[in-house]
Amino acid sequence: MTITETTVGSILTRTGGYLQGVASHSLQPYRGCSFGAALCGAGCYVQHSRHILQGRAWGSFLEVRTNAAAAYAAQAARERRWCARRGQPFGVFCSSATDPFVPQEARYGITASLLAAMRDQPPDRLIVQTHSPLVTASANALVELARLCEVRVHVSIESDLDRLPGLPPPASSVERRIEACGRLRDRGLFTVATVAPLLPIADPERFFGRLAPSADAVVLDHFIGGDGSHTGGRTLRTPLPAAMAAIDPESVTIGYRDRMAAAARRIMPGRVGIGAAGFAGRYE
Ligand code: SF4
């Protein structure tokens, strides 16, 4: 993988589309993602962005935004005023096009520097979205920030299966990510397991039963309606649906999400979110 260091003119992007009702801004500490060649990268919608890829293979590059914290410090007050004029909270979704806790975070500390910058100028709400158990290394900073603003930590756990036929393994096992949720929740952080995109689940009762003590809530989202296209067209161009169908043909239909959501509600009543509403923190 090619790793380069770069600087950016701005780091807070006003959201549109799917994320608009979730947070006012998205924030990417890196461009590209070290997990792009892992299981989650197979269906990752970012791989369709020519603007980001610029001819490179998804998962083959990572641009380290070395001035991310300074860019946040320079932008935060202006973007907060922009939110105030619209009567909406200043909410930051970190991240939607990379992972804030790629392995390289241990060396570069870009996300850590952003959390420190947010301590000086906290948003109203911070949603951290990650596939990586390395998020636990930032638990102290997140706990400190949670005293200043609403913090939710979303950990992606799409299934109870570590392997799908013909696809690469995940960057970290299902078990390690559930354990990470538990450690974050034990620290008092509001922790959400995001089952998104929903993959076939071998044993729904057991899976949600394992999540129940480790996460405050779960959010389920299907690639149909959840990948930025209305009918899942982006994901249908990837090998993910065929691999899902090989395990359970029903899993590539939206009805599967509803059946899994019903199973989740039986075990975690009042703690289950669906789609964008779930990412926005609305649970039933
Ligand atoms: S961690 Fe997120 S951004 Fe990175 S490849 Fe996986 S789904 Fe895509």
Side-chain angles (χ1 to χ4, degrees):
M1 194 172 67
T2 305
I3 299 171
T4 53
E5 296 183 22
T6 186
T7 56
V8 289
S10 65
I11 196 80
L12 287 164
T13 303
R14 296 170 187 172
T15 54
Y18 187 93
L19 277 183
Q20 203 161 19
V22 177
S24 61
H25 293 78
S26 62
L27 187 162
Q28 325 296 341
Y30 301 90
R31 174 182 267 190
C33 185
S34 314
F35 301 143
L39 176 60
C40 66
C44 179
Y45 77 93
V46 189
Q47 67 187 295
H48 304 294
S49 170
R50 285 190 200 149
H51 172 67
I52 291 175
L53 265 64
Q54 293 174 4
R56 300 168 290 187
W58 182 235
S60 72
F61 64 94
L62 187 75
E63 296 176 18
V64 181
R65 297 178 151 179
T66 55
N67 70 330
Y72 177 87
Q75 241 189 314
R78 186 172 68 240
E79 294 308 307
R80 171 180 285 288
R81 286 195 298 274
W82 180 80
C83 290
R85 285 198 298 276
R86 280 156 183 77
Q88 69 176 125
F90 175 30
V92 175
F93 191 93
C94 175
S95 299
S96 56
T98 187
D99 195 299
F101 296 100
V102 290
Q104 290 77 13
E105 170 65 15
R107 172 176 174 197
Y108 291 101
I110 306 301
T111 301
S113 69
L114 279 160
L115 295 177
M118 287 182 194
R119 222 163 38 220
D120 296 333
Q121 296 188 77
D124 295 315
R125 178 181 301 138
L126 170 66
I127 303 170
V128 172
Q129 179 77 51
T130 184
H131 267 89
S132 175
L134 298 176
V135 60
T136 55
S138 288
N140 287 345
L142 290 165
V143 166
E144 210 173 310
L145 209 45
R147 295 192 192 107
L148 305 173
C149 68
E150 180 191 341
V151 172
R152 291 206 303 271
V153 185
H154 289 186
V155 180
S156 300
I157 310 174
E158 304 94 327
S159 167
D160 57 354
L161 300 171
D162 272 322
R163 296 303 302 258
L164 262 66
L167 296 183
S172 63
S173 68
V174 168
E175 195 55 48
R176 282 193 65 206
R177 282 174 281 158
I178 294 178
E179 282 171 14
C181 282
R183 286 208 291 279
L184 295 167
R185 194 179 190 209
D186 286 348
R187 294 293 310 274
L189 289 161
F190 193 90
T191 305
V192 181
T194 49
V195 187
L198 171 65
L199 301 181
I201 295 173
D203 187 340
E205 307 293 320
R206 184 165 181 274
F207 179 54
F208 293 114
R210 286 167 74 207
L211 292 178
S214 302
D216 292 281
V218 293
V219 172
L220 286 86
D221 202 7
H222 197 273
F223 73 79
I224 298 175
D227 74 349
S229 66
H230 289 305
T231 54
R234 277 179 172 172
T235 305
L236 288 168
R237 301 208 302 271
T238 76
L240 186 63
M244 292 168 64
I247 294 175
D248 183 347
E250 190 206 349
S251 69
V252 296
T253 68
I254 196 72
Y256 187 72
R257 180 200 67 185
D258 297 337
R259 191 159 73 77
M260 291 302 110
R265 281 195 198 98
R266 279 196 293 278
I267 293 161
M268 300 175 68
R271 298 159 63 193
V272 179
I274 303 294
F279 277 93
R282 293 195 288 280
Y283 314 113
E284 301 166 4

